[in-house]
Amino acid sequence: MKKQSPKDRIKNFNEVALGMSEEEAVKEASRCLFCKEPKCSANCPVEIDIYRFIDAIKNKKFDEAIKVIKEKNNLPGVCGRVCPQEDQCEGACILNAKNKPINIGALERFAADWELNQLSAISSSAKGETSPATAGGQLSAKTGAKVAVIGSGPAGLTCAGDLAMMDYKVTVFEALHTAGGVLVYGIPEFRLPKEIVKKEVDYLKSLGVEIIENFIVGKTSTLKELFAQGYKAVFIGTGAGLPSFMNIPGENLNRVYSSNELLTRANLMKAYLFPDFDTPINIGKKVAVIGGGNTAMDSARVSLRLGAEKVYIVYRRSEKEMPARKEEVENAKEEGIEFHILTLPKRIVSDDKNFVKAMECIKMELGESDASGRRRPVPIHGSEFIMDVDTVVVAIGQSPNPVFLKATPELKLGKWDKIVVDSKTQATNIKGVYAGGDATLGNDTVIAAMGAGKRAAKAITLHLSILNAQV
Ligand SMILES: Cc1cc2nc3c(=O)[nH]c(=O)nc-3n(C[C@H](O)[C@H](O)[C@H](O)COP(=O)(O)OP(=O)(O)OC[C@H]3O[C@@H](n4cnc5c(N)ncnc54)[C@H](O)[C@@H]3O)c2cc1C
């Protein structure tokens, strides 16, 4: 897929990957071997019928392609852009043997964008109509029971969409002023344009999903109050938005950010458009981002676009162990971000005004494997050195959002306060209450959150039909 050149893209927040033309998509789809027993679908957490949608693209039936995808996935424009396909569908593609798997993610994105373009064309000529592919999604009067969904990230949105398609009245309660969870406050515009997220959320609304923003369950209403208001089942998709810190000296200095604060200011509050938008951000000239996941790559690339002259990734293991998508590591390197691997920060040094002046680090080497199967990083004594930086972004992980959990002590939690669920049904220990996504998994992926939302929707349907039979 074509991309903006690194020289141009570091000066703007526009999308980096530019998508495929019709001709390119058909050509790519034509490379598919259409295996008798396709492994790609089996490796998709939401079980998209990849064979059928690629076949439709090959035959230029783009409306058919998006219909097939939407049988299983209500957020195709999102997934086509951010799913780790290399570990899933594309990872299972038989053409990996030749090192050239089908670019399934790009084809999914192509089909989603094709439909969104059709919709834009229709809505500018004849308002109110929908494309043939979404005709089934017309708003209808829902007759089923009321279900509440807490949180509008991919887990909540998927659960809500599936239930709405089965005719339940679904209300999503979202704490922030915009729906989408990490898709709007975390992942930057240049990887996932917010217009795409909005259009896919609008599609869910067209299925009948009601979304109430600025509503914090646990504060505005409790779980018990939702049941008292007539909701017959509840899905918790509150995510993992509580930042972790390293607990080293200097972490409370000015210009030390959690990745959450940096990314929320930049993405949700549009700090990169300050003063046209109210939220400012104070980024220095030399930024160290601590961590090796997608959040770290996003923080580094956002810092660059906000005007930093030098940006470093500081990661305590080797590049092989980095959890970030390979594509994002490559993009970061192309943009000039410098990687300090096998490096651990020890303290952040202050100037006389309590701003970051430098960071002391120590070099590491890899020792024995730890519980995660990865080799444990071990400090090399005497290898301390000072890094000349004036901003530090801590991107070492998040744990589940605590507000709802604190207000619901009857909910069973496990390690790191993750909600304990049955892995097949997503049921919690409270009857009629289900949970999924990062609130149960910790920091995971969009598609894993969606898979959990789907399993929960299925289980909720069963639960409601049993309740109904008892009446
Ligand atoms: C910067 C960043 C980059 C990432 N990049 C990728 C990527 O490239 N590919 C990928 O697959 N995954 C990526 N991930 C991970 C992925 O985004 C998450 O795994 C996924 O969003 C989890 O979905 P979720 O629905 O469980 O939670 P979230 O997306 O976190 O949504 C939870 C929602 O619940 C709301 N909420 C919380 N508490 C309450 C409450 N009490 N009442 C009402 N609402 C509440 C929150 O405001 C939020 O909107 C990234 C994560 C981050 C942070």
Side-chain angles (χ1 to χ4, degrees), residues 49-183:
D49 192 339
I50 295 169
Y51 179 111
R52 271 173 61 223
F53 103 72
I54 292 188
D55 188 47
I57 293 182
K58 182 182 159 192
N59 292 302
K60 297 192 181 172
K61 294 182 181 163
F62 306 132
D63 55 342
E64 179 63 24
I66 189 65
K67 252 188 210 161
V68 172
I69 296 171
K70 282 194 167 177
E71 285 167 5
K72 299 285 177 157
N73 184 346
N74 285 324
L75 303 171
V78 169
C79 289
R81 286 171 166 82
V82 303
C83 259
Q85 290 99 2
E86 61 279 11
D87 299 328
Q88 297 168 350
C89 51
E90 290 176 17
C93 176
I94 196 152
L95 290 173
N96 266 305
K98 290 189 174 159
N99 235 349
K100 281 207 104 184
I102 299 293
N103 197 340
I104 301 170
L107 291 176
E108 182 180 24
R109 170 187 163 153
F110 165 79
D113 289 358
W114 176 86
E115 187 197 37
L116 293 176
N117 290 337
Q118 300 293 306
L119 281 176
S120 308
I122 289 170
S123 64
S124 53
S125 62
K127 281 210 161 70
E129 286 181 40
T130 56
S131 82
T134 53
Q138 300 268 21
L139 181 61
S140 62
K142 300 287 167 188
T143 52
K146 274 171 51 166
V147 181
V149 169
I150 312 173
S152 67
L157 290 176
T158 301
C159 185
D162 279 18
L163 287 168
M165 285 200 275
M166 289 185 273
D167 222 24
Y168 293 101
K169 291 179 205 158
V170 190
T171 307
V172 178
F173 297 99
E174 169 52 51
L176 298 173
H177 62 271
T178 308
V182 171
L183 309 179

Side-chain angles (χ1 to χ4, degrees), residues 406-426:
K406 279 195 181 139
T408 321
E410 63 275 29
L411 190 64
K412 189 172 173 197
L413 305 181
K415 203 175 169 192
W416 313 115
D417 282 349
K418 292 187 251 186
I419 303 171
V420 175
V421 288
D422 177 291
S423 61
K424 287 205 177 76
T425 62
Q426 303 296 131

Side-chain angles (χ1 to χ4, degrees), residues 371-385:
S372 72
R374 298 182 299 177
R375 288 177 66 195
R376 190 190 301 275
V378 184
I380 303 174
H381 292 293
S383 66
E384 286 86 350
F385 68 100

